[in-house]
Amino acid sequence: MGTAMHSPLVVGNWKMHKDPAETACFFKAFEALIDSRVRCDVVICPPFLDLETAVDASSGTRVQIGAQNLHWAKEGAYTGEISGPMIRACGCSHVIVGHSERRRYFGETNESVSRKTLAALDAGLTPIVCIGDFEKKNASDVIVEHFRCSLGGLSVDQFARIVVAYEPFWAIGSGDVAAPAMAGDAHRFIRGQAEAMFGAEASKSTRLLYGGSVKPGNAAGLMAESEIDGFLVDGASLDPAGFASIANLWIPPAP
Ligand code: PGA
């Protein structure tokens, strides 16, 4: 179980799924399924159009709401874009930045990830910055490049306020989850990079999440790895029972 100084974190990334009515239904069911003894933070990131419904439905519960992307400018002539201050004003606390689908299909670069991460922090949002490899071999080169080029512009204090999600692209939506030992090695490697760049204290303050085919059946094995501080979950976060059962893994054992 994770070594970061914060409590563990489970993030649901709904991608382009669910409309406002389906969002309201999800929260109604989810609230009843999540155990009150759970000791992890829970963030759900629905599509932009569902944010208001999600913020209302989660008010007074342990669940916080995040967006899946933002523009780096506060406002301006950027048709179709949404800014950090707008997301914050909607009641969100988090935003995903640089998901591999955005890198692969929408031209997201390390430079835009870096600008968006700083913009999110400026807006008072916690960025969940995604890094990851495209192939099983030479993973460390891509991790180093993403890590240095996407996060190199942050101060130590800023780094300590972000969440990093390690998502090997081949594991996303494929059912081909990383073996716990493999994910654990990648997380140790990333923690080492963080320590070298930002120092031991900031490195421990930052939660490192694993993402890619996390399911109720494999989450416990991954969670046992010391450097995994939680999960970024897509497919399994769409179903209230499945997502609750992942979060419910963090119920402390009875004394
Ligand atoms: P998955 O997606 O859980 O469906 O594999 C993870 C992600 O893309 O964040």
Side-chain angles (χ1 to χ4, degrees):
M1 195 169 315
T3 54
M5 291 183 290
H6 297 296
S7 49
L9 171 65
V10 180
V11 180
N13 170 18
W14 285 0
K15 304 190 181 177
M16 199 169 72
H17 295 285
K18 297 193 191 293
D19 63 20
E22 291 164 333
T23 299
C25 277
F26 174 95
F27 279 91
K28 214 165 165 199
F30 186 67
E31 179 58 10
L33 292 164
I34 188 149
D35 194 292
S36 59
R37 294 165 297 164
V38 155
R39 288 224 319 254
C40 69
D41 296 331
V42 180
V43 174
I44 294 180
C45 302
F48 283 125
L49 287 176
D50 299 331
L51 290 178
E52 204 175 344
T53 306
V55 166
D56 283 352
S58 61
S59 149
T61 75
R62 67 165 57 241
V63 181
Q64 295 177 284
I65 304 301
Q68 298 172 15
N69 182 32
L70 78 163
H71 192 273
W72 56 75
K74 288 192 172 76
E75 60 180 7
Y78 299 105
T79 302
E81 293 291 327
I82 309 267
S83 75
M86 291 169 184
I87 294 167
R88 186 79 190 104
C90 202
C92 293
S93 53
H94 291 69
V95 61
I96 298 171
V97 182
H99 189 278
S100 64
E101 286 155 13
R102 296 218 56 89
R103 291 180 188 262
R104 180 160 276 202
Y105 306 130
F106 300 104
E108 195 84 83
T109 62
N110 285 320
E111 195 203 335
S112 60
V113 172
S114 170
R115 294 175 81 177
K116 289 179 176 193
T117 303
L118 289 166
L121 287 165
D122 261 4
L125 295 163
T126 301
I128 301 162
V129 184
C130 301
I131 61 172
D133 36 49
F134 289 101
E135 307 210 11
K136 285 190 182 175
K137 52 182 186 208
N138 297 329
S140 56
D141 292 348
V142 181
I143 292 173
V144 170
E145 186 208 311
H146 280 185
F147 199 80
R148 298 219 170 135
C149 304
S150 299
L151 302 174
L154 300 183
S155 68
V156 170
D157 171 57
Q158 286 169 326
F159 182 75
R161 285 157 48 209
I162 72 167
V163 174
V164 175
Y166 165 65
E167 296 205 302
F169 190 77
W170 47 266
I172 294 176
S174 64
D176 187 13
V177 66
M182 185 184 194
D185 284 348
H187 278 237
R188 266 183 292 284
F189 181 76
I190 294 166
R191 191 83 71 188
Q193 291 291 311
E195 195 171 328
M197 276 172 71
F198 299 103
E201 203 172 322
S203 137
K204 283 204 198 92
S205 301
T206 302
R207 283 180 284 194
L208 293 187
L209 311 183
Y210 168 79
S213 294
V214 176
K215 307 279 175 220
N218 60 30
L222 290 160
M223 169 193 165
E225 286 292 322
S226 62
E227 295 298 338
I228 296 183
D229 302 315
F231 302 122
L232 179 54
V233 187
D234 167 41
S237 73
L238 296 170
D239 165 44
F243 193 49
S245 75
I246 293 173
N248 286 343
L249 287 171
W250 277 280
I251 298 173

